[in-house]
Amino acid sequence: KTFSQSFPAAEIQVKQLGAFSLEVWISKKNFESVGYLDRKALVESVGKGWCDLYGGWMFPTVAVRDEKSGKELAVYHSLFHNTTMEQE
């Protein structure tokens, strides 16, 4: 699944950073409208797909950020192949 499939009504902005890292901007309310385990699986799926395609030796990250506060809601780390989620 993709972010647009999981959050069809949400406004999502994507920003590519240096070293092929990626930021996905979405409202916290929309992001949390999906269950925790489903959100984590989505971030892992998108993050792994992005990193497999563009990672190579650069070890990019895919970060999901709240569009209002800029706070990190979740991050996929290609170096460690894991996802960290914001602590509630």
Side-chain angles (χ1 to χ4, degrees):
K1 269 191 155 179
T2 65
F3 279 94
S4 59
Q5 290 171 327
S6 296
F7 307 102
E11 182 178 328
I12 299 169
Q13 296 179 359
V14 178
K15 180 179 179 185
Q16 185 177 338
L17 306 174
F20 291 101
S21 289
L22 193 67
E23 286 182 334
V24 179
W25 294 81
I26 186 172
S27 76
K28 183 175 181 175
K29 181 179 178 182
N30 281 323
F31 187 65
E32 291 181 346
S33 70
V34 172
Y36 178 87
L37 294 177
D38 292 334
R39 288 193 314 262
K40 186 172 183 181
L42 173 65
V43 172
E44 285 176 355
S45 174
V46 170
K48 183 173 180 348
W50 176 262
C51 292
D52 286 350
L53 191 60
Y54 296 107
W57 56 273
M58 299 186 103
F59 302 113
T61 60
V62 175
V64 179
R65 294 188 173 276
D66 177 32
E67 67 182 10
K68 289 184 181 175
S69 69
K71 189 173 181 180
E72 220 168 61
L73 303 174
V75 182
Y76 178 83
H77 307 272
S78 67
L79 178 60
F80 306 110
H81 302 287
N82 77 330
T83 300
T84 56
M85 302 289 286
E86 173 191 40
Q87 298 299 317
E88 304 280 330

